[in-house]
């Protein structure tokens, strides 16, 4: 069966490909190979700049020519690497051989070719390529979409700042709030956790077979290879080098980034459920698009499917992010191979997160505020002003104010404006206090 959107096993690459396609630049097999080539080329250039004695004759004017190997990297180039891998049965060694082929094509490189991948192990390439891909995918795809979501929510928070709304705690009527403030809660939470995500350093392992620069040191003991590694990883790749490692990355900071993204996803999931409930409560109607069908059996339905889609995808994303954060920092002794296949799945939770964010945005942009319903719920729930009344009575040193309001409101009798006002009239307080109490309504008792 030919691979395509209709035959893909995962919906990330099938049904939702239009949403996740930008991530292919960072997490596809093609992208991983391109990142590996990039690290190998930049490492070779760094050795030339050191310079190693055998590389002193390399013409620095040709560095741009070298960099074009990864900057102009094509699908055909990636396929060539895969073809070499069929022979080597080793993906990183195939990259090394591919680069050497490119050097042969460029000419005059025969004396320098063996310094491609000099002193390195595969994980020096993998554990720089993957965090680099994660860093750039976050910066160029994920974070801009999270910021777009925050901006949309902030616009709604401003638009609805003065819209009173009955609050629900434990699913029961509670002290009124304002719709804009409740949306602002999510703006605040997402903004705080986004800062945490941005603050997580992207680190890389770079230190030879078991992290000690053994091969580098034995060949050229006169160089400070730790300092070289630190400068290479930070200056050429924009990452931070992990100072003490085994053959592989500790993955601690990568796990921290996955945990930070998981918290952001959890907040979005919470938002999805709240807006799903608001639609169910008829606080919002949804824009209708001609030709769309809400139910195959019930023509009247306009379902909150975007929030449901987002919630489902966030669940999958978070399950994978949690697994990645827990699994990757654990490896037997100086390394086992379990991280290799696991790392190839890093793009999957990113894909589900992107699908979810776009679905949430789509759902939010369909909303039509139904202020009439919000007002009706407030007008129908006068019991919520009991807190305000008993608090003012406490201020006035009225005897047992909480108990008096409890006796009034904790019955099966419906509390109306008239019920509350009759109670206020019965109180032994001054006329000015009664006037103050009479002025309180469910719609204006919304705090600061």
């Amino acid at each position: 069966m030919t691979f395509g959107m209709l035959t893909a096993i995962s919906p990330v690459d099938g049904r939702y490909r239009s949403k996740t396609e930008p991530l292919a630049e960072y997490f596809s097999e093609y992208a991983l190979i391109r990142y590996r080539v990039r690290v190998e080329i930049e490492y070779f250039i760094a050795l030339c700049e050191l310079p190693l004695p055998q590389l002193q004759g390399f013409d620095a004017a040709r560095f741009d020519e070298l960099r074009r190997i990864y900057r102009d990297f094509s699908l055909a180039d990636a396929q060539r690497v895969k073809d070499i891998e069929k022979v080597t049965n080793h993906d990183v060694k195939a990259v090394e051989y591919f680069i050497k082929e490119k050097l042969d094509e460029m000419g005059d490189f025969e004396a320098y070719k063996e310094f491609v991948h000099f002193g390195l192990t595969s994980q020096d390439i993998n554990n720089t390529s993957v965090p680099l891909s994660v860093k750039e995918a976050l910066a160029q795809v994920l974070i801009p979409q999270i910021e777009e979501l925050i901006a949309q929510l902030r616009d709604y928070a401003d638009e609805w700042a003065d819209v009173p709304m009955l609050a629900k705690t434990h699913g029961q009527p509670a002290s009124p709030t304002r719709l804009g403030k409740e949306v602002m809660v999510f703006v605040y939470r997402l903004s705080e956790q986004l800062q945490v995500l941005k603050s997580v350093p992207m680190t890389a392992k770079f230190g030879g077979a078991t992290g000690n620069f053994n091969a580098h040191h034995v060949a050229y003991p006169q160089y400070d290879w730790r300092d070289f590694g630190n400068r290479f990883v930070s200056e050429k790749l924009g990452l931070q080098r992990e100072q003490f490692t085994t053959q592989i990355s500790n993955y601690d900071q990568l796990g921290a980034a996955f945990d930070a993204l998981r918290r952001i996803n959890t907040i979005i999931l919470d938002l999805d459920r709240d807006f799903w409930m608001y639609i169910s409560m008829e606080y919002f109607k949804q824009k209708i698009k001609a030709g769309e069908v809400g139910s195959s059996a019930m023509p009247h339905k306009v379902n909150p499917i975007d929030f449901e889609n987002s919630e489902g995808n966030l669940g999958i994303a978070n399950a994978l992010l949690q697994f990645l954060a827990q699994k990757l920092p654990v490896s037997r002794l100086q390394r086992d191979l379990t991280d290799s296949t696991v790392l190839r799945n890093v793009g999957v939770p990113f894909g589900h997160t992107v699908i979810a964010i776009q679905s949430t945005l789509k759902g939010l942009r369909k909303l039509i505020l139904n202020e009439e319903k919000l007002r009706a719920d407030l007008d129908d729930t006068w019991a919520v002003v009991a807190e305000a009344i008993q608090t003012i009575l406490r201020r006035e040193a009225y005897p047992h104010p909480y108990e008096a309001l409890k006796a009034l409101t904790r019955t099966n009798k419906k509390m109306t404006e008239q019920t509350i006002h009759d109670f206020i009239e019965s109180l032994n307080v001054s006329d000015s206090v009664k006037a103050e109490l009479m002025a309180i309504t469910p719609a204006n008792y919304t705090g600061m």
Side-chain angles (χ1 to χ4, degrees), residues 37-296:
V37 172
R38 175 178 167 185
V39 172
E40 292 275 18
I41 293 294
E42 290 297 341
Y43 172 63
F44 180 82
I45 291 173
L47 291 177
C48 292
E49 292 174 334
L50 188 55
L52 287 185
Q54 287 80 0
L55 295 175
Q56 286 182 344
F58 190 90
D59 185 1
R62 303 195 72 178
F63 287 168
D64 281 345
E65 189 177 354
L66 284 174
R67 288 187 168 109
R68 282 200 294 272
I69 296 175
Y70 70 80
R71 287 173 177 166
D72 298 337
F73 193 74
S74 66
L75 287 175
D77 290 331
Q79 185 58 58
R80 177 55 189 155
V81 174
K82 297 301 291 184
D83 291 341
I84 298 172
E85 185 184 341
K86 291 176 184 177
V87 178
T88 62
N89 197 30
H90 195 288
D91 50 3
V92 176
K93 199 66 177 177
V95 169
E96 177 188 342
Y97 287 166
F98 167 79
I99 293 173
K100 288 178 176 178
E101 284 186 354
K102 287 292 185 181
L103 296 184
D104 286 338
E105 293 173 11
M106 292 162 64
D108 303 326
F109 283 93
E110 185 63 34
Y112 311 113
K113 283 197 309 182
E114 290 310 313
F115 287 91
V116 175
H117 202 71
F118 172 78
L120 301 183
T121 187
S122 300
Q123 289 308 103
D124 294 312
I125 304 304
N126 291 331
N127 288 164
T128 46
S129 296
V130 172
L132 186 55
S133 70
V134 170
K135 178 183 178 180
E136 293 184 348
L138 284 171
Q140 297 169 26
V141 180
L142 261 292
I143 289 174
Q145 292 198 20
I146 295 167
E147 290 174 336
E148 182 182 357
L149 175 59
I150 292 172
Q152 178 64 73
L153 291 169
R154 191 182 298 276
D155 286 345
Y156 278 153
D158 291 340
E159 181 180 345
W160 301 330
D162 298 321
V163 177
M165 181 180 78
L166 184 67
K168 295 287 183 72
T169 59
H170 307 278
Q172 305 302 308
S175 299
T177 182
R178 279 164 289 122
L179 179 57
K181 175 261 171 178
E182 298 307 315
V183 175
M184 197 63 196
V185 169
F186 290 108
V187 172
Y188 170 74
R189 293 174 66 191
L190 288 170
S191 298
E192 290 290 300
Q193 294 308 314
L194 181 57
Q195 287 304 115
V196 173
L197 176 60
K198 288 180 176 180
S199 71
V200 176
M202 282 293 116
T203 63
K205 179 267 176 182
F206 191 83
T210 54
N212 308 328
F213 288 105
N214 299 42
H216 294 78
H217 182 69
V218 75
Y220 297 100
Q222 67 270 36
Y223 293 106
D224 184 343
W225 289 107
R226 280 190 295 263
D227 178 67
F228 170 85
N230 290 340
R231 287 187 290 105
F232 167 67
V233 171
S234 63
E235 294 172 10
K236 298 292 187 182
L237 305 180
L239 304 170
Q240 293 183 22
R241 180 176 167 268
E242 298 168 15
Q243 297 300 303
F244 296 93
T245 70
T246 60
Q247 187 176 93
I248 65 173
S249 169
N250 301 315
Y251 294 119
D252 297 326
Q253 297 298 351
L254 199 59
F258 294 153
D259 282 336
L261 182 57
R262 186 162 54 90
R263 285 194 298 274
I264 289 171
N265 286 351
T266 299
I267 295 168
I268 299 172
L269 189 149
D270 194 25
L271 180 152
D272 289 334
R273 291 182 178 178
D274 274 9
F275 275 95
W276 189 98
M277 290 293 295
Y278 291 143
I279 292 169
S280 177
M281 294 156 59
E282 298 183 358
Y283 286 1
F284 294 101
K285 298 180 183 296
Q286 297 178 92
K287 295 175 183 175
I288 299 172
K289 186 176 180 180
E292 286 189 349
V293 175
S295 166
S296 63

Side-chain angles (χ1 to χ4, degrees), residues 24-38:
E25 288 290 327
Y26 309 93
F27 299 121
S28 63
E29 183 74 1
Y30 158 81
L32 176 58
I33 296 170
R34 190 191 64 219
Y35 274 107
R36 285 167 167 167
V37 172
R38 175 178 167 185

